[in-house]
Amino acid sequence: MRGDLHIHSRYSDGSLEFDEIANIAKNYSLDYISFTDHDCLHYFEQISAICNSYNIKAISGVELSCTDFSRGRRVHILCYNAQKPHILKPICDEVMKSRINAGNIMTEKVSKIYNILPEAIKKYASQSECIYKQHIMHALMDYGYTLKIYSELYDKIFGNNEGSCYVKVKYIDVRDVLTAVHDACGKAIIAHPGVYDSFELLDELISEKSIDGIEVWHPKHSKKETEYLYDKAISNNLIATGGSDFHGIYNSTVSQIGKCFTPKEYIDMLLN
């Protein structure tokens, strides 16, 4: 048994619906999946019912965006199986408020520069709580400015957080997020440490005993990074998780559902 525990839907910056993703997961013979949309608390009963119809078990999840202020770097924390999710709502709302503001301003900037209707962008974000950069790029594709999401145009307007239309989102301190996860009786997993170079932070959080696990298997982790993170998890009695970080056509690199997964023994640790 195995599970893909890092999947994004149209309710944040993914391109597919819950049921479309569940159907794909069934075709790949997955036993568990978790929708981990950014800073977004779903109605888990709805997700669970959809997954059950495909004979798949759902694990409640959310990917929380935060900052390692001591190094000035972004970091993501995956929260699973929170028994008191309402405790997470204030931090999700705070980040989402900043996301909504940033998305609206970026939409306004792009609309003026590229003579594109804001409605053309908003339609791709119709089920999301805010407008993401991927939604803007999708609309620019429709208008013929580019042939793909991640392109020279993306780099020009959003690249390296310095593009002409980029607006920064304000994130919360990682330790405040971890405190909220544990107050919510959830499991806190540091997401893809290799993506944001969170290795020093990882050591600090392990020594502080403030995380429950590490996302080991991720499409952007090298073989060396995966082996290092797995050894780190095992030697510190932490949960080792894996997931595809699937976004559909909004992925920056090719990643299929189930490409990276969590073995059953760690799913059991996550749920117990």
Side-chain angles (χ1 to χ4, degrees):
M1 299 181 74
R2 60 198 181 104
D4 187 333
L5 303 189
H6 194 161
I7 297 174
H8 297 275
S9 76
R10 287 193 68 183
Y11 286 85
S12 65
D13 57 346
S15 63
L16 297 183
E17 307 275 1
F18 292 144
D19 59 339
E20 292 175 308
I21 291 168
N23 185 45
I24 295 171
K26 178 184 178 181
N27 291 337
Y28 282 99
S29 300
L30 289 171
D31 303 288
Y32 293 85
I33 59 174
S34 182
F35 291 97
T36 53
D37 286 320
H38 297 285
D39 311 296
C40 182
L41 299 172
H42 294 308
Y43 293 102
F44 184 62
E45 293 79 7
Q46 175 192 359
I47 291 174
S48 185
I50 291 171
C51 290
N52 284 340
S53 69
Y54 290 94
N55 295 316
I56 296 171
K57 294 180 180 178
I59 297 174
S60 63
V62 58
E63 186 169 20
L64 301 165
S65 310
C66 38
T67 299
D68 173 11
F69 282 105
S70 63
R71 298 173 183 84
R73 294 176 186 164
R74 291 176 60 188
V75 57
H76 287 175
I77 298 295
L78 291 160
C79 170
Y80 296 109
N81 202 32
Q83 301 303 299
K84 301 176 182 179
H86 63 278
I87 292 177
L88 298 173
K89 191 175 187 303
I91 64 171
C92 288
D93 287 349
E94 183 176 340
V95 172
M96 192 56 67
K97 182 179 179 180
S98 181
R99 280 192 188 279
I100 291 170
N101 180 64
N104 289 339
I105 295 174
M106 289 190 292
T107 295
E108 183 179 349
K109 287 185 174 184
V110 170
S111 297
K112 288 181 178 179
I113 295 172
Y114 294 95
N115 193 28
I116 182 173
L117 293 173
E119 290 73 20
I121 296 170
K122 292 176 182 178
K123 74 176 183 179
Y124 288 114
S126 61
Q127 290 176 276
S128 176
E129 293 194 34
C130 65
I131 296 170
Y132 286 84
K133 292 176 286 187
Q134 293 93 327
H135 300 141
I136 296 173
M137 293 305 303
H138 201 161
L140 288 169
M141 288 172 62
D142 288 343
Y143 273 61
Y145 286 104
T146 182
L147 295 176
K148 55 185 180 179
I149 302 290
Y150 298 95
S151 58
E152 290 184 6
L153 181 60
Y154 180 93
D155 293 338
K156 179 180 179 180
I157 61 180
F158 298 128
N160 297 319
N161 298 336
E162 297 176 352
S164 59
C165 299
Y166 176 74
V167 178
K168 187 176 182 179
V169 177
K170 183 180 179 181
Y171 299 119
I172 298 170
D173 184 86
V174 61
R175 287 172 174 81
D176 292 336
V177 169
L178 290 169
T179 297
V181 170
H182 290 133
D183 286 346
C185 300
K187 292 293 199 303
I189 312 295
I190 186 168
H192 42 57
V195 173
Y196 293 135
D197 189 12
S198 303
F199 295 105
E200 289 182 3
L201 173 66
L202 173 61
D203 286 337
E204 290 179 2
L205 298 180
I206 289 174
S207 67
E208 296 166 9
K209 301 186 184 302
S210 57
I211 57 171
D212 303 293
I214 305 170
E215 186 175 44
V216 172
W217 299 283
H218 185 274
K220 290 187 178 180
H221 282 166
S222 67
K223 181 180 179 181
K224 183 178 180 180
E225 287 172 333
T226 300
E227 292 174 348
Y228 172 82
L229 292 169
Y230 183 68
D231 288 342
K232 184 75 70 172
I234 296 304
S235 61
N236 289 280
N237 196 30
L238 296 172
I239 304 167
T241 72
S244 61
D245 204 352
F246 180 79
H247 291 73
I249 66 168
Y250 295 155
N251 272 100
S252 58
T253 56
V254 175
S255 180
Q256 297 173 319
I257 290 175
K259 179 178 181 179
C260 295
F261 60 87
T262 304
K264 183 180 183 299
E265 62 181 297
Y266 299 113
I267 292 175
D268 290 340
M269 290 174 66
L270 199 65
L271 297 178
N272 292 330

